[in-house]
Amino acid sequence: MTSIDDSRIPGVQDPAVQIHAEAETPRGYGSMKRKEDARFVRGRGRYVDDVVLPGMLHGAVLRSPLAHARITAVDTSAAEAHPKVHAVITGETLAGLGLAWMPTLSNDTQAVLATDKVRFQGQEVAFVVADDKYAARDALDLIDVQYEPLDPVIDARRALEAGTPVVRDDKDGQADNHIFDWESGDSAATDRVFAEAEAAPDQRVVTADILYPRVHPAPLETCGAIADMDPVTGKLTLWTTTQAPHAHRTLYALVAGLPEHKIRVVSPDIGGGFGNKVGIYPGYVCAIVASIVTGKPVKWMEDRSENLMSTSFARDYHMRGEVAVTDEGTIRAVRVDVLADHGAFNATAQPTKFPAGFFGVFTGSYDLEAAHCAVTGVYTNKASGGVAYACSFRITEAVYLVERMVDVVAHDLGMDPAELRMRNLLRPDQFPYRSATGWEYDSGDYPHTLQVALEKAGYEALRAEQADRRRRHEAGERVRLMGIGLSFFTEAVGAGPRRSMDILGLGMADGADLRVHPTGKAVLGISAQSQGQGHETTFAQIVAQELGISPDDVEVVHGDTDLTPFGLGTYGSRSTPVSGAATAVVARKVRERARIVAATMLEVAPEDLEWHDGRWQVAGDPEASRSMAEIAMAAHSNLELPEGVEGHLDATCVYNPPNLTYPCGAYVCVVDVDPGTGAVDVRRFVAVDDCGVRINPMIVEGQIHGGLADGVGMALMQGIAFDLDGNCLGGSMMDYLLPTSLECPSWELGETVTPSPHHPIGAKGIGESATVGSPPAIVNAVIDALAPYGVRHADMPLTPAAVWCAAQGRPLRTDLAIT
Ligand code: MCN
Ligand code: CUN
C-alpha cells in the first residue's frame, strides 16, 4: 500500500483552509470568490510534483542534441553501473514490449524512445531510473549514443521540394514530407466569385501572406507523472498532469493493453495547462514502464527547457489569404491556402475532423457568399504540435487570418476598419447562421457588441488624436506613432456534437453525478479537469443555482478516474459548454426527484408545486414550502414515497451537446510605437466579450485577463524560431519571453449577453476567447501605427527588431533564424 504525504493535503492539518471567507453566503451565480484560492493563496495547493510516495524512484530523459540523425549505437553500460541507478530504458527495451512507438491523436505514430533516428532536437532517446533525480540526471551523461547526422528539414516552405530529406522514412510508403491535404468550403463557387471580382471594374481581390509563428503555452507547472504499479493487485495508479484524465486512462488501456479498471489516473492541482497537458508524452509511458520494471513508484517531472522544446507547441501556420471585395467594402468571398508545419510526428487531433477541421471557421464573423480553404500538413524536424495554447490548428489561426485580412482590405481600400467590419458583420436576424463552410453559429448580436466596444474605447476621439500625432510626425517632430487596432472574433467551443467529431473513436459526451446528502450538502463528480479555471467554484454555483443551496455546500470532485464519471476532459473551452451543461441537467434531475419527495411531505400532488426562490412551494401558498435540506433529510428517511419512486437524492447524467457554442467579442487596442527603436507600448485594451450567461463574472474576467496577456505575449514577444541546423531558439525563458504586468495595460472590459439557445443555462465557453481574439487586435494596432511608413503587413512576434525592419520596408521572417 502506498500513501501520499498527508501533511500536504489542504485541510488535513489546517481546517481553516476549508472555510470560505465570504461574509454573506451567495446562492447561485455571481462573483463569489474562488473556493480553491483558500489553498492556492496559502501555498497549499497540491501539484503533481508535490506528490511523494514511499520508496519512490526518479526518472530522467536523455534527449537528442541533434534535429535529425541516425542512431548507430547506444551504450548504457556505464549508466547502469552507477551505484544509484536502478534501470536504464532504451528504445530497444520498449521495442521488446511493443511500446517503442505510440499512436498520436491524429492516428499517426510517435516514437516513445527513438530507435532508428532522432527527428527533432530534444527528442527522447533513453530513460534512467535512479534513487533521486540528481543521480538520474548525472547518469544521463554516462549514456553513449552514436549519431550519424542527417540534413534536417527546418523550413516548412521547402519541406515538399524534391530532394528534401524524408523525416518519416519509418513509415511504409512515405516518400516525402507530406502528411495530409484538408479542405473546407465550396471551391468552385469561391473561384467563381473571385473571377467576377477580378473582372469587375468596381471590385478587387486583396491578397496577403501571413505567418502565425510557432508558440508554446508554457504552463507554470511543467508536465510529469508518478507511476505506481502495485505488483500485488496489478493496479496502476498514475498521478499526472493531464487535462483529460479519463481519456488518458482509456488510451493507456488501448495502447499498452492494461485492463482499464486496473488503471487509476489522478490529476490533482495542475499548474496550468493551456492545452499543453492534453497529449500523452513519452515520459509518462517511460515512468509506467519503469514502475513495472522496478516494482516501485517512479516519478518523472520535466524541467522548463524540456517542456519548451519537446512538448506540444502551437501554430506554425503559413497562410495565404485572399479576399474578394467591392470597392465600397462589401466582402464577398474568402479563399485561404495554408501550409501547416506539424513537426516530426503529427500529434494534433484528427485533421479531417477535430481540430484542424476547426480552421473551417476562417469565414469569421462575416456574411460571405462563398469561402474555401485548403490546408496541407507537412513533417519537419521539429517537435510535434498538439491541442495547445487556445487550440492550435483551428480557430486561433483562422481568426488571426481573417481579422488581419480585414485590416489589409481596409488599408487597400482606404477605408476605416471599424466601418468595414460593421458593414460586413452578421446581423442578429441571421442567427442561427449557417456559415459558408457549414458551421451553425448559435447566437449573437455582433453589431451591438462592436458598437459597445467602440463606444467604450472612444473610437472617434482616438482617431482624432491619431491624426494629430501623424501630422506632428510628418512635420518632423519626434513623436511616438499611435496605432488603433480592432478585431471581431467568433469562437466555436464545446467539443462536441457526436456526429461531427471524435478522438480515437471516443465520443465527446461528458458525465456528471450528483449526490445530495441527508443534511442537504452535495457532492458533484465531473470529468472536466481544472487547471486554474475555478471549476470547484463555478460548478458548485451551477448546482447551487439549480437546487437553491449555497455553493459552499457543494463539493466538486474531479481529477480522479476512480471517483468521477467518464468524460473527455478540459480543452477547447468545453467545460462549461459540456460538463457545465451536464451539471445543470443532473441538478435538474435531482430537483425533479426532490419535487416528488416534497409533494409527499406536503401531501399534495407534484404538479401542485412550484419552484420558487430555491424551494418547492405549493402554488399560491408561500407558507407551504420545503427547502432542499428538508427534502434531502426526508428523502433519506422512512417517508413513504409513491410507488416506483426511489429514495435518496442522487442522480447521474450524460450530456451530449447538440451543437458547439459560439462566443464572440469585439476588441480595440491602442499602441504607441517608437519608430526609432521599434518598441511597442500597449497603451489601452478594450475587450467586450459575449459568452452568454456568466456564472461567475469575476472568474470570466480573470479568464479574459489571462487571454489578453497571452495575446500581448504572442503578438509582441513570443515565437519559437529555429536555425537551419534545427536548433530550437526558444528553449528557455531567457529566449522565450512571457508577458508580465509591465507589458500589459490595465484591461478595460465590457460585456454583452446573448445566451446560447441550446445550452441548458445559456452559457458559452470563455476560456480561450481572449487568447484567440487579442493577437489580431494588437498586430492590427501596430501595423496601423506604421501606416506613415506604408506598412501593410508584418508577422508576429512584433519585437522591436521586427517593427523597426518593417518600417524600413524589410519585414523579418520570424520563423527562421538565418545567420
Ligand atoms: N465561466 C463562467 N461563465 C461562462 C463561461 C465560463 O463563469 N459563461 C467560467 C467556467 O465555469 C470556468 C471558467 O469560466 O470556471 C472557464 O470556463 P470555460 O470557458 O468552460 O473553459 P474551461 O473551463 O473548459 O477551460 C479551458 C480553457 C482552455 S481550453 C485553455 S487553453 C485555458 C483556459 O481555459 N487554460 C487555462 N484558461 C485557463 N486558465 C488558467 N488559469 N489555466 C489554464 O491552464
Ligand atoms: Cu486548445 S488549448 Mo485549451 O484547449 O486546453
Side-chain angles (χ1 to χ4, degrees), residues 30 34 36 217 219 243 270-278 387-391 394 493 528-539 541-542 569-578 580 690-703 706-707 710 761-769 771:
R34 305 202 317 171
E36 42 274 81
Q243 299 178 215
I270 60 176
F274 307 101
N276 190 227
K277 293 166 180 171
V278 173
V387 185
Y389 211 173
C391 282
R394 61 170 195 108
V493 298
Q529 170 65 42
S530 183
Q531 310 133 47
Q533 294 92 341
H535 293 169
E536 284 163 52
T537 306
T538 48
F539 281 72
Q541 288 182 272
I542 297 173
T570 291
Y571 45 85
S573 306
R574 65 188 296 280
S575 302
T576 306
V578 190
D690 191 332
C691 60
V693 173
R694 296 183 176 201
I695 300 154
N696 185 320
M698 179 197 72
I699 287 181
V700 167
E701 293 194 354
Q703 289 289 304
D710 281 345
I761 59 173
K764 303 180 181 185
I766 190 65
E768 299 158 298
S769 286
T771 315

Side-chain angles (χ1 to χ4, degrees), residues 270-294:
I270 60 176
F274 307 101
N276 190 227
K277 293 166 180 171
V278 173
I280 291 181
Y281 295 119
Y284 304 167
V285 179
C286 289
I288 294 171
V289 171
S291 179
I292 294 171
V293 168
T294 61

Side-chain angles (χ1 to χ4, degrees), residues 2 42 143 211 252 323 355 459 506 521 547 597 634 640 643 645 697 802:
T2 54
R42 288 176 170 87
I143 301 174
L211 168 75
Y252 290 124
V323 178
Y459 189 68
L506 297 172
K521 315 280 181 189
L547 296 187
V597 178
E640 224 163 280
E643 193 62 34
V645 177

Side-chain angles (χ1 to χ4, degrees), residues 494-552:
R498 193 169 269 166
R499 284 182 308 282
S500 67
M501 65 199 71
D502 63 76
I503 289 185
L504 293 180
L506 297 172
M508 303 292 283
D510 281 3
D513 66 43
L514 180 60
R515 290 169 214 186
V516 182
H517 299 327
T519 55
K521 315 280 181 189
V523 175
L524 171 76
I526 51 169
S527 55
Q529 170 65 42
S530 183
Q531 310 133 47
Q533 294 92 341
H535 293 169
E536 284 163 52
T537 306
T538 48
F539 281 72
Q541 288 182 272
I542 297 173
V543 172
Q545 176 84 12
E546 298 297 333
L547 296 187
I549 60 180
S550 163
D552 284 340

Side-chain angles (χ1 to χ4, degrees), residues 15-33:
V17 301
Q18 298 283 27
I19 295 165
H20 173 54
E22 282 272 309
E24 240 176 81
T25 339
R27 183 185 276 179
Y29 306 160
S31 288
M32 70 178 277
K33 287 186 182 159

